[in-house]
Amino acid sequence: MRKDNSEFITGFLSESGSFVRNKDYFAYAELDDIACWVIARGLDNDQEVESAELAAKSVLGYFLQKPSISRYRIRRYLQEAHRVLQAESHRVRLKASLTVVVTDYARVRYGVVGNTRLYQFRNGRLQWQSKDQSLAQQMVDGEEIAEDALDQHEERHNLLSYLGTPNEFRPFVSKKLPLYDGDVFLLATPGLWEKVNPAEMQDGLQEAKDPETWIDTLEDVLLSKQEHVVQNYTAAAIFANKIFKTDPQKKWRIIKRVALILLVLALAGGGALLYKMKEAERIADASTGMFEHETAGDAFIAEGDYPKALKAYSDARNAANIVKNKVQAALLAKKIRITQLIVDGDTAVKDEQYAKALDKYDKALKEMKGRDDFNEPEILEKKEKTQSYVLVMQWKKEGDLLFEAQDYAGAEAYYQKARKLALETSFVTGEKELRTKLDEVASKKTGIDKEKKTLDGDKLEKQGDESYAAQDFEGAIQSYTMAQEIYQEIGVLEKVLAMERKVTKAEEKLNPPAAPPSAGAPAGQPPVQGASAANQPPAVQVNPTAPVNQTAPVNQTAPVNQAAPVDQSAPNNQTAPVNQTVPVNAAPPVVPTNQAIPPAATAPATQTVQPLQANPPATANPTQEEAAKTP
């Protein structure tokens, strides 16, 4: 009655924090000669099954059936909990971290899978703590990060092993550790040990007289952090106030007894017995491994990881052959055949051998007909997707034939239809090829369009040349301008500039510039015929300040007392020209601002002033007049 001769006190709390559901779970059982404590943390999001509770109860259930502190038994407890989670993973894959502690009230052994923890305190100080099965712990062991950075490292939840894992299940089971009076143990989930460090745990233990007081102190420390989000947290304290005392001589008596038995076996041919014992152990391990590998294979099938399922089923069949279980070996062979067909179909899809993949999927569906251990809808989906791939490649081939026949519009229609189906079925390789084909079609269509527009531009340019030759300059300008727009659109710069030059030339022909004035005569006045400049009548002066629209008087008579100039060099019988046009560009005389201008002398600045008429012509003297009458 070890329990009656020892004193172990347990206290615990488990809270959901900021969440509605609590994914943590704690339970324990104390028997007369042995006790077990289990703490678990659920890692999945299943809304109906609590993986932590299921795993913890599974461990305690197997412990109560076969209570033991041996390493083998504790490993078996964890393996059974792992198998239970895999078997109950219907909607989602159930996962959990778990720590189990077993004691015979004199020694203790623990097992860990995941990142729930066990701390041991002795004389008020931390003695040791369990190691997580995480990437962060692996980095600490490899001295890549400091140990005090473990609790806050970003990889602390990246677990290498846990209950329900689809990979190899590798729990850690410690050796037997001796107990002393006053030893204290703390089991904690990540929600607690992430926020309460070992130093704070140790400080809280100094003033605690029982487990409940210590646990309440740890909760106060956690909540004092005032985190915006508080995770689920669970803590269980075990105070080993009195340890069961064993007979110190009993150990040596047991050792002597075992040594004597071995000596007798050796003398009596114990070698054969030892061989049989080893063979029996091998068969037992094979039998256990057979079911474990098959269970693992079923879990891989549920996750759709068929290559791993195939390996697990193969290992299970090998174990079945070792134990000579023909029935189980035949059942496993059936699973292996179906799984192999699915794997071959997936491989054929990767190799773009879609016809072969369809054949493999059809055979797999035929083999699994009526079975509930394979996901038939998933294989049907694989088959339908592969059929879509075949149709995509068929349309692509049709488009290729039209492309080679230079029917680019028809090819584009097939390519577009095939690409749409490829996108709908996530056919990445086919979609990429079709996108390349569509780019090639677009390039070809662009080239043809450019050639057509070039011909149109050349045609318009030729029309412009013909219009220019026929002196239809307006028609030429119109044709050249239209041709220039086409060349501009297709980017033929040299043609654009050529049309610009032709348009300019045609415009010059359509609107020629004014002829320059003749030499020796003022601008706007025809040259004087038959008389020198001296015989020209004086120009009427224009008043710059006169109104612009005022009409100059016509046939203005020169003043009576003004004598016409006489050309001395002209013959006596030559009469000076009477109607001379006064040049308009002659500079007007400067008129003082205070002098009035005679009304008769004013004329608009823009009007051509009529020349003065010699009426009657002035006569110089009677002699000259007589000479003029003489022939």
Side-chain angles (χ1 to χ4, degrees), residues 32 55 86 244 349 389 465 496 498 500 504 548 581 593 597 603 606:
D32 288 341
Q86 287 185 326
F244 178 75
V349 170
Y389 293 174
D465 292 341
V496 173
E500 185 69 27
T504 302
V548 176
T581 304
T593 57
I597 301 174
T606 57

Side-chain angles (χ1 to χ4, degrees), residues 337-349 353-368 379-380 382-383 386:
R337 184 165 59 253
I338 297 173
T339 307
Q340 184 67 61
L341 287 169
I342 298 171
V343 170
D344 290 344
D346 293 344
T347 303
V349 170
Q353 299 177 359
Y354 304 117
K356 179 180 178 181
L358 284 175
D359 179 64
K360 296 296 182 181
Y361 290 147
D362 284 335
K363 290 181 178 178
L365 288 168
K366 185 177 179 180
E367 292 278 348
M368 69 176 66
I379 308 306
L380 282 171
K382 286 176 178 284
K383 178 184 174 182
T386 306

Side-chain angles (χ1 to χ4, degrees), residues 71 74 108-112 128 172-177:
R71 176 176 290 178
I74 293 177
V108 67
R109 193 193 297 272
Y110 69 92
V112 175
W128 51 261
F172 170 80
V173 180
S174 73
K175 62 182 181 180
K176 287 182 182 178
L177 302 171

Side-chain angles (χ1 to χ4, degrees), residues 170-219:
R170 294 172 300 187
F172 170 80
V173 180
S174 73
K175 62 182 181 180
K176 287 182 182 178
L177 302 171
L179 292 176
Y180 296 90
D181 290 345
D183 281 352
V184 175
F185 293 91
L186 177 67
L187 288 161
T189 59
L192 182 87
W193 60 252
E194 283 181 346
K195 303 303 177 184
V196 183
N197 59 49
E200 292 170 327
M201 296 176 185
Q202 187 171 288
D203 291 343
L205 183 60
Q206 297 295 329
E207 301 178 358
K209 299 187 180 299
D210 54 64
E212 288 80 4
T213 304
W214 188 33
I215 291 298
D216 291 341
T217 302
L218 296 181
E219 183 180 27

Side-chain angles (χ1 to χ4, degrees), residues 24 42 54 70 101 165 278 285 289 306 426 440 449 469 508 513 623:
D24 294 350
L54 185 63
S70 70
V101 181
T165 177
K278 286 186 175 294
D285 290 341
Y306 295 99
S426 302
E440 293 177 3
D449 184 60
E508 290 176 353
T623 306

Side-chain angles (χ1 to χ4, degrees), residues 125 147 161 163 170 221 284 328-329 344 415 451 501 511 621-622:
R125 293 187 173 276
E147 186 172 0
S161 183
L163 296 175
R170 294 172 300 187
V221 172
Q328 192 66 22
D344 290 344
Y415 291 152
E451 291 178 2
R501 290 191 293 270
N511 301 305
N621 51 52

